[in-house]
Amino acid sequence: MLKRSLAILTLLIIGYWLAQGLAGVPFGQDRMLVGHYYLEHVKEQTGAVNAVTAIVVNYRGFDTLGEVTVLFIASTGVAALLWRKKKKRSAKTEGSVVLTTGTRLLVPFVILFGSYIFIHGHLTPGGGFPGGATIATGFLLLYMAFTTYEIPHRGFEKTEGIAGMSYVLVGLIGLGIGGYFLFDWIWQTWQLGTDNIGRLFSGGFIPIIYILIGIKVGTELSGIIDNMVKEEVSE
Amino acid sequence: MNGQYASLLIALPLISAFFVPLIKGAGKNAIKSYLVLITALQTGVAAWVFQEVYSTGKPMIVMAGGWKPPVGINLYIGHFAALFVLIVAAVSFLMAIFSFKAVNVEPIDKYAMLFLLLMLGATGMIATGDIFNLFVFMEITSISAYALTAYNKTGEAAEASMKYIVLGGIGSSFFLVGVALIYGALGTLNMAQIAQLASTLNPTVAQVGLALVVFGLAVEAEIFPLNAWAPDAYQAAPHPITVMFSAFVVKAGLYAMARIVYLMKDVGSWSSILKLLVILATLTVIVAELAALRQRNVKRMIAYSSISQIGLIALAFALGTQSGVDAGVFHMINHAIVKALLFLAVGYVAVALGGAEMENFRGLGKRMPVTAFTISVGAIATVGVPLFNIFWSKIRIILATLSVGYTWAAALVLAASVVEAVYYFRLLHVIWFEGTGERMHENMAMGIMLLFLAALVIVIGVYPSYAWNLAQKAGNDIFNVAQYVKNVPLMGVGA
């Protein structure tokens, strides 16, 4: 009781203190120092209609590269900690017919929609991370409905590595062509799709990177699911 | 060569880590050799950057994507970053060699990836010039550190990692709230622009934001109330990883803290933050030294000693003067060398004799004379005996503390040094004057690495002026914010 009330008191003090700080940043005021620049120049500088993806992949692409790495570490870490010589699915009951048939019908659509999201990252809301997560949901469905389903590990791990390397490679090509790491060479040097803004073949390297991220995130999250649902088999 | 190629410091470890799954089938030794090769390449790039920055005297500004800051993200590789990126790469290289002997737990391919990404995260934290990018690199560092702490898969390791992950998670969310607050008030994330606009900041907002950021970084930087994870993690992690934690992961956190604190120099409530930091840093030193006194496990004992030295560096950074910052950077260099030496040697003993308990060190002087000799050099240096490198940096920190008028802090830190001497000399006594044993075979590569580090300790101890010069330049990089802002080619957005 004493512990709990002390905790509540401390939290209230911290909350009050934070509120004091927040009060110094009035809501609704224009604080877009850099923001205006993005909004005004996003179309001609990156070719993307979706300003968020343009900022995330192009202007501040370095952060996205980092976030992709964070996810990669998470999946590698889970794999390292749950590593056993022999592992097997331990599910006991097969899903009902409705579940398995439903999954069979649904999974292709889930994967199609996921691909749609990451391919159209520069045009519609979404991008590589939501698209990849959607694809992983498809695999999660398969795991939940079938007791023996397993992703093809070798292929998945290699795809994940290749997608990550290609992202860095796209950046390094930018370093070679434009002189800067992660330079958008497709848009700024080749000027591909400049008269095509708002359509699929535009947006410089944003769609390419988002496809790579989508594949990477999809395989990574599926790998995490795979590691977590399996148990060790004693020999 | 074009300065933009310094971005290879980030790109190289990243692409090599992604490449590991493709060579997974090649066998254990192939993967370990690959690790050595990549870290050697990284050291080469870092040496080139170091050479370039120190010969021209100008920082290298890497603009990712070709966007000028503050629109894009820039890396700022000034004197400090160039020096510490080199230290990070060199220590990683040594640890890649040490991994051959010390890491035999599967899966080795995952170990290699996490190892490379830990190095990448620390490099990025030190090099970045953008406060949100700093957060991203901090996440890379800490998440790979969580995974590597638990890598041995013992119960102890899992518990240590759990503590670390919970504290680290809370810390980074506080950091993120702090960044959001600063962004909300200023509308920019670029460090140089933040420094420019700092004087216009509302003092309450600045105080809350700065405190949150410092609190978040304090977990990584092992400052007193938030460092409870550290001794457990140091003890339970694989030996090469312990060296990396102590030699550069914690330094990256400390540096980031110092950098952000000094960026906000113009803020009204700045001095109260500094005062709080001085108190916390002094407490860090004392608590860690007293805890080290009664440890029976040598690795844990040195972990506590490492934390207390970190407290000393934090104290130097919290003084708010040029001489304090210089002394802090000098101590960072010396501590990186000495603690790499000590953890490497202790880890080697633990690998060879099966555990780092005090009993295993009985008669080590007769059994493994080279290792025992280097441990002794490291121990004497840490205590701060003249003619060893830490003497010079410790004395500079204490002088800087006295010149600001914190006599009590200097006195307490000195008293803690006496405690340090007690447990280190007890260890030396156990090594040289107790127990007997047959002489054991010592590995050549290990012997060379240990002797190299010990030689560095003594060379810097006898001729401190070169290292002190480096430290002064690097310290100036942190302290002289006006120069920092001038060096970053800000485009006139919104200003």
Side-chain angles (χ1 to χ4, degrees):
Chain A
M1 197 58 214
L2 182 70
K3 228 179 180 176
R4 186 169 293 176
S5 39
L6 270 179
I8 289 173
L9 195 71
T10 322
L11 282 178
L12 280 178
I13 293 170
I14 293 177
Y16 175 75
W17 177 69
L18 278 179
Q20 282 292 306
L22 273 175
V25 189
F27 185 74
Q29 248 184 36
D30 187 2
R31 292 285 181 180
M32 294 210 294
L33 203 59
V34 189
H36 282 303
Y37 181 89
Y38 291 137
L39 291 180
E40 281 155 21
H41 298 86
V42 65
K43 263 197 204 161
E44 92 262 20
Q45 283 188 339
T46 68
V49 183
N50 183 344
V52 176
T53 48
I55 293 169
V56 165
V57 179
N58 205 329
Y59 290 113
R60 298 183 62 90
F62 217 50
D63 281 342
T64 308
L65 189 58
E67 287 303 339
V68 170
T69 314
V70 167
L71 204 57
F72 179 71
I73 297 169
S75 102
T76 312
V78 169
L81 300 189
L82 296 177
W83 188 89
R84 299 286 180 276
K85 239 199 178 79
K86 267 192 182 162
K87 284 169 80 180
K88 243 183 131 180
R89 298 271 326 255
S90 57
K92 299 224 165 45
T93 43
E94 188 80 33
S96 70
V97 185
V98 180
L99 181 61
T100 51
T101 320
T103 305
R104 237 182 263 271
L105 288 173
L106 208 54
V107 165
F109 286 104
V110 172
I111 291 185
L112 185 68
F113 184 61
S115 321
Y116 163 79
I117 292 179
F118 66 65
I119 291 170
H120 292 78
H122 54 303
L123 304 173
T124 56
F129 290 93
T134 312
I135 287 181
T137 320
F139 286 102
L140 179 63
L141 261 178
L142 287 173
Y143 270 99
M144 295 292 120
F146 301 100
T147 47
T148 50
Y149 180 79
E150 273 191 53
I151 52 166
H153 293 272
R154 264 204 203 150
F156 263 52
E157 258 182 25
K158 296 220 157 90
T159 321
E160 185 189 331
I162 290 171
M165 279 172 67
S166 314
Y167 189 173
V168 186
L169 262 182
V170 169
L172 285 176
I173 293 172
L175 182 62
I177 294 181
Y180 297 101
F181 184 52
L182 289 175
F183 184 76
D184 187 353
W185 38 284
I186 296 180
W187 184 260
Q188 302 202 16
T189 311
W190 295 1
Q191 307 199 317
L192 227 68
T194 22
D195 47 0
N196 216 9
I197 293 182
R199 300 202 190 174
L200 189 55
F201 292 103
S202 66
F205 70 7
I206 296 175
I208 295 179
I209 284 182
Y210 260 159
I211 289 170
L212 293 173
I213 294 179
I215 293 171
K216 192 164 166 49
V217 171
T219 47
E220 251 156 28
L221 293 178
S222 311
I224 292 182
I225 295 167
D226 175 74
N227 271 308
M228 292 227 177
V229 298
K230 282 183 176 171
E231 278 175 18
E232 187 174 12
V233 218
S234 47
E235 278 140 64
Chain B
M1 222 159 118
N2 186 339
Q4 295 298 324
Y5 282 92
S7 55
L8 284 176
L9 287 173
I10 306 291
L12 177 71
L14 208 50
I15 202 165
S16 339
F18 290 146
F19 185 66
V20 173
L22 302 183
I23 55 159
K24 196 181 159 191
K28 250 185 181 182
N29 277 332
I31 290 178
K32 284 181 189 168
S33 320
Y34 173 75
L35 206 53
V36 173
L37 175 75
I38 298 299
T39 45
L41 278 178
Q42 174 87 353
T43 314
V45 178
W48 165 68
V49 168
F50 177 80
Q51 159 67 22
E52 196 85 347
V53 169
Y54 275 83
S55 60
T56 61
K58 282 209 189 79
M60 284 167 136
I61 311 286
V62 175
M63 286 183 271
W67 306 109
K68 280 196 161 181
V71 169
I73 294 172
N74 70 305
L75 298 185
Y76 179 94
I77 307 180
H79 285 102
F80 182 91
L83 177 62
F84 270 83
V85 161
L86 182 60
I87 290 180
V88 168
V91 171
S92 302
F93 173 62
L94 295 182
M95 287 314 115
I97 297 173
F98 184 34
S99 296
F100 269 103
K101 268 206 101 58
V103 178
N104 287 307
V105 184
E106 285 290 344
I108 204 75
D109 58 315
K110 308 280 190 261
Y111 172 81
M113 292 184 226
L114 292 170
F115 182 99
L116 285 173
L117 293 172
L118 186 67
M119 173 174 91
L120 165 89
T123 309
M125 271 178 91
I126 288 167
T128 191
D130 186 282
I131 193 166
F132 184 77
N133 198 234
L134 174 65
F135 173 74
V136 172
F137 278 116
M138 188 174 104
E139 285 295 276
I140 293 180
T141 316
S142 51
I143 297 179
S144 36
Y146 306 149
L148 283 168
T149 303
Y151 185 78
N152 281 338
K153 299 195 203 59
T154 56
E156 199 190 23
E159 192 195 327
S161 177
M162 190 71 201
K163 271 186 203 164
Y164 188 7
I165 208 167
V166 170
L167 260 177
I170 296 171
S172 29
S173 21
F174 271 85
F175 183 84
L176 196 57
V177 175
V179 169
L181 208 57
I182 292 172
Y183 180 70
L186 292 179
T188 183
L189 291 168
N190 188 280
M191 287 186 189
Q193 203 173 17
I194 288 178
Q196 249 179 10
L197 300 176
S199 52
T200 67
L201 204 54
N202 175 333
T204 333
V205 178
Q207 197 180 25
V208 175
L210 195 55
L212 284 170
V213 165
V214 166
F215 180 84
L217 283 168
V219 177
E220 282 305 304
E222 299 167 13
I223 304 299
F224 164 61
L226 304 167
N227 58 8
W229 61 272
D232 290 347
Y234 278 51
Q235 191 184 357
H239 304 301
I241 303 304
T242 309
V243 177
M244 291 167 85
F245 280 174
S246 144
F248 60 72
V249 171
V250 51
K251 306 268 170 21
L254 262 178
Y255 156 72
M257 204 155 134
R259 170 65 89 203
I260 292 179
V261 166
Y262 281 93
L263 285 181
M264 299 282 202
K265 222 177 353 185
D266 296 335
V267 161
S269 42
W270 195 59
S271 58
S272 56
I273 296 268
L274 282 192
K275 239 173 243 157
L276 180 72
L277 271 177
V278 168
I279 295 171
L280 291 183
T282 315
L283 276 175
T284 309
V285 177
I286 294 167
V287 172
E289 293 290 20
L290 289 179
L293 192 57
R294 46 186 196 86
Q295 295 306 322
R296 300 300 304 161
N297 185 306
V298 176
K299 204 177 168 194
R300 198 176 174 84
M301 187 182 99
I302 295 176
Y304 275 114
S305 150
S306 174
I307 293 169
S308 81
Q309 304 286 321
I310 296 301
L312 212 55
I313 300 172
L315 173 65
F317 281 146
L319 295 174
T321 59
Q322 173 85 59
S323 60
V325 174
D326 292 353
V329 174
F330 193 25
H331 200 61
M332 265 170 139
I333 302 171
N334 289 335
H335 176 258
I337 298 168
V338 169
K339 277 297 169 332
L341 169 66
L342 275 174
F343 276 117
L344 182 62
V346 170
Y348 181 47
V349 173
V351 169
L353 302 176
E357 296 303 318
M358 196 62 110
E359 280 66 45
N360 287 333
F361 284 78
R362 226 169 269 279
L364 195 74
K366 298 187 186 74
R367 285 190 288 173
M368 303 167 83
V370 178
T371 315
F373 167 71
T374 49
I375 291 180
S376 315
V377 171
I380 295 171
T382 312
V383 175
V385 172
L387 292 186
F388 288 88
N389 60 356
I390 283 192
F391 168 73
W392 299 106
S393 46
K394 239 185 197 173
I395 203 155
R396 279 185 202 281
I397 289 178
I398 287 169
L399 287 178
T401 313
L402 285 175
S403 70
V404 187
Y406 287 121
T407 319
W408 58 272
L412 286 173
V413 166
L414 269 180
S417 275
V418 177
V419 179
E420 189 166 45
V422 171
Y423 64 80
Y424 270 118
F425 284 116
R426 193 178 62 198
L427 175 69
L428 290 185
H429 187 262
V430 168
I431 288 178
W432 293 105
F433 301 109
E434 278 180 30
T436 49
E438 288 293 290
R439 173 136 199 210
M440 287 172 57
H441 173 71
E442 286 174 287
N443 187 295
M444 258 276 278
M446 288 299 301
I448 292 172
M449 283 198 287
L450 286 171
L451 287 175
F452 168 69
L453 287 171
L456 265 185
V457 169
I458 294 171
V459 168
I460 295 181
V462 180
Y463 303 103
S465 53
Y466 178 69
W468 173 238
N469 251 331
L470 294 184
Q472 271 178 314
K473 280 183 183 159
N476 196 37
D477 195 26
I478 299 179
F479 187 76
N480 194 344
V481 178
Q483 187 63 38
Y484 175 83
V485 174
K486 213 188 282 168
N487 281 333
V488 179
L490 285 175
M491 59 191 287
V493 173

